[in-house]
Each structure stands twice: as structure tokens, then as C-alpha cells.
Amino acid sequence: MTTQRITIVGATSGPGKSLLLKLDRLGYPVTGIGRDPEKIEQIRRILKGSKAAIQAIDVSKDQTFLESTDILVHCSRPDLVHNLLSENLSRFIALGSTRKFTHFPDQRCRDVETMERLVISSSIPATVLHPTLIYGADGFSNIERIIGIARKCPVIPLPRGGMSLIQPIHCDDVSAALMRCLDNDRVINQSIVIAGPSPMTYRTFVQTTLAAMNLSARVISMPCSLVKALAGITRYLPGVPLIKSDEVQRLLEDKNFDTHQMQNLLSVIPRSYDTGIRQYADKLGGCPGTD
């Protein structure tokens, strides 16, 4: 077990929160950083009586916490990296995104690419993990949006029949991968994709999600142009999740990745989506938002 002081930026939701609580249970000296007062208070109640801590800090304005940090785990916005790279650090671990591989780049894609370049080229021993679609935790809306649409509409239209590939990864598998980077010299200056164990079609992904949540909406095939048109009107439909045109466009891309590097360097064997989504459904106690 490392005795170095660990700080997690973006510790109030998703993999950052999962990692904070896991390190706390194992007795690591760890501090989480976030900005949402309500979430911070919730985590403080969980951590009450432990050595771990959670602080409200805007890292774009205040970096004094870096003076008492040895290992920094960055699970927040990639553009914040400019404020976080410090020569005082013995290790820097960043969570990026496989969005960097898209053929339809947006600002997030460019921010992830910039973060990776800055981190890997720095003098700090560093690792960047690029997860595929993350599910199974608060703060990630992909599953919740599918559920939200299914509760309002009898059908879910997908371009080209939803035959593009996707490889979602459970939040706890992401936090396990982050943890394996803390004192692993094999991953220094490495950029590693982390993903679910095997690809599935987007159609199967949606159908498996609906089945786990006991929802009966039907998946149908529709031309991309029509799906984009429907996405455009979601902003005017109360209770229906907002879907952007570029998100529809990215549904046409295959997002399948080799996980050998993840397994060999990090020794993380990700759970199947069928297992993970059922665990998430059990955690939620059924479909969110139902009476």
C-alpha cells in the first residue's frame, strides 16, 4: 500500500467517487475534490469517522492543494489539466475518453487530445486512461437517457438498425483500472484504452438495457437523417432527454477496442455488460423515475 498522499479531482460522481470510497475502505490517505455542495455533503456523511476527506475547491482558481499532494488522479474535465500539472507530483493519472478516436470531433475530443499530449510529454510520471462509454454510476447520463426515452416513447429509433459496435465499461471497472495505476511503473507515460470485455451492437446494448430495467419500448431502424430530425425536436418535448445531432452521427461509428493492454498492464478483467447493467438495475431498485 502506498503511503503517498492521493488527491482525486472530480470525486463527487462516477469513477472519481467510486475510487475515493474504495481507497477509503482500504485505508489509503486520500482526499477528494469537487464543486457540488450537495454531493460533497453526501460524501462527507459517508466518510464520517474515516481518514479520507472531501473538499469543495474550484481547481481553476485554487491550486494550493497541490502542495500537499503526491499522487493526483484527474477525473474531471480534461481542459482543467492546465491547472493541475505540478512538478511537486510524484505521479499524475488522468481519465480521458475514447471520444479522441471519433471521426466527428468536437470540443471535448480536442480537449482530451490536448490533455493527453500535455500529460504524456510532461516530466511527471503519468498515465492516461481512455474509457469507452461508462455506466453504472451517478453522473453518467447515457443509460438514464435511454430509460427516459423508453418511458415516454413506445419505440427507440436507431440509424442503420443500430448495427454499429459499442463496448461499454462499468464504473467500478474504471475505478479499478485507476487504482492499478497508483504504484504501477509499467504504465508510466502510457496511454491506455479501457473498455468492456467484448463489443456488441448498439441495438443489443439498448435492448439489454431495456430488459434489465423492465421496459418494453421497441428498437426500430430509421435513416440517419430522420433520427437527426427527431433529435432536433427533443429540446421542445418536456420530460424527453435532449439529444444532439452530432450524437446521432456518432452512433454510426464502431467503438470496439482491444482490451489486451488493459488486462496485461492493469490486470483488470472487465465485467460483461449483461452482468453490469443488471447490477446497476439492482442498485437503482428498478427503473429510475417509476412510481
Side-chain angles (χ1 to χ4, degrees):
M1 176 188 295
T2 181
T3 58
Q4 293 188 300
R5 298 164 298 180
I6 304 167
T7 298
I8 303 170
V9 175
T12 55
S13 63
K17 178 181 177 181
S18 176
L19 180 62
L20 174 67
L21 298 180
K22 184 177 297 186
L23 291 175
D24 172 52
R25 289 193 298 270
L26 294 172
Y28 281 81
V30 59
T31 298
I33 288 177
R35 294 184 60 185
D36 187 310
E38 184 176 343
K39 291 180 179 179
I40 288 173
E41 187 55 37
Q42 290 173 350
I43 294 173
R44 278 185 178 147
R45 288 196 292 268
I46 296 173
L47 297 177
K48 188 175 182 180
S50 75
K51 295 180 180 179
I54 183 82
Q55 296 181 0
I57 299 176
D58 182 346
V59 301
S60 67
K61 299 177 181 178
D62 180 2
Q63 296 89 42
T64 55
F65 67 92
L66 292 172
E67 298 171 6
S68 58
T69 299
D70 298 310
I71 300 174
L72 185 70
V73 184
H74 178 31
C75 298
S76 189
R77 300 193 333 255
D79 61 293
L80 293 174
V81 70
H82 300 278
N83 306 106
L84 300 174
L85 286 174
S86 168
E87 295 298 327
N88 293 330
L89 298 172
S90 64
R91 185 156 301 195
F92 189 100
I93 303 160
L95 199 61
S97 171
T98 51
R99 177 77 65 83
K100 64 170 285 194
F101 298 108
T102 184
H103 296 295
F104 309 102
D106 57 5
Q107 187 58 50
R108 176 168 172 76
C109 171
R110 290 185 284 272
D111 287 343
V112 169
E113 290 177 332
T114 299
M115 180 182 73
E116 179 182 76
R117 184 173 65 255
L118 291 173
V119 169
I120 298 299
S121 64
S122 76
S123 60
I124 307 165
T127 309
V128 181
L129 301 183
H130 294 294
T132 52
L133 182 148
I134 301 173
Y135 70 97
D138 299 335
F140 290 87
S141 62
N142 297 289
I143 302 298
E144 286 74 10
R145 290 204 298 173
I146 292 173
I147 294 168
I149 293 171
R151 293 184 64 236
K152 294 288 184 178
C153 309
V155 297
I156 296 180
L158 294 177
R160 298 181 188 170
M163 289 297 105
S164 299
L165 298 177
I166 190 171
Q167 205 165 337
I169 183 169
H170 194 281
C171 177
D172 288 346
D173 293 329
V174 176
S175 65
L178 288 167
M179 189 167 176
R180 295 295 173 87
C181 295
L182 294 177
D183 54 5
N184 183 353
D185 290 341
R186 297 177 66 202
V187 300
I188 290 177
N189 295 331
Q190 295 274 359
S191 175
I192 303 170
V193 169
I194 55 175
S198 57
M200 68 182 78
T201 64
Y202 203 88
R203 185 185 194 95
T204 299
F205 166 67
V206 173
Q207 289 173 331
T208 304
T209 302
L210 297 178
M213 300 296 172
N214 296 313
L215 294 167
S216 58
R218 186 165 58 94
V219 179
I220 63 171
S221 179
M222 186 176 288
C224 185
S225 58
L226 290 181
V227 179
K228 283 185 176 182
L230 289 174
I233 66 174
T234 57
R235 70 184 62 192
Y236 305 110
L237 301 177
V240 175
L242 175 65
I243 301 172
K244 299 178 182 179
S245 178
D246 59 341
E247 293 178 293
V248 175
Q249 193 72 42
R250 284 194 291 270
L251 291 179
L252 302 177
E253 294 183 305
D254 284 333
K255 306 175 187 70
N256 58 308
F257 300 92
D258 189 341
T259 61
H260 283 95
Q261 192 181 26
M262 171 186 177
Q263 296 183 36
N264 292 337
L265 294 179
L266 301 173
S267 301
V268 174
I269 309 298
R271 71 202 72 190
S272 70
Y273 185 66
D274 185 69
T275 297
I277 192 59
R278 291 186 184 282
Q279 290 173 339
Y280 187 43
D282 290 343
K283 176 182 176 181
L284 295 174
C287 178
T290 55
D291 297 327

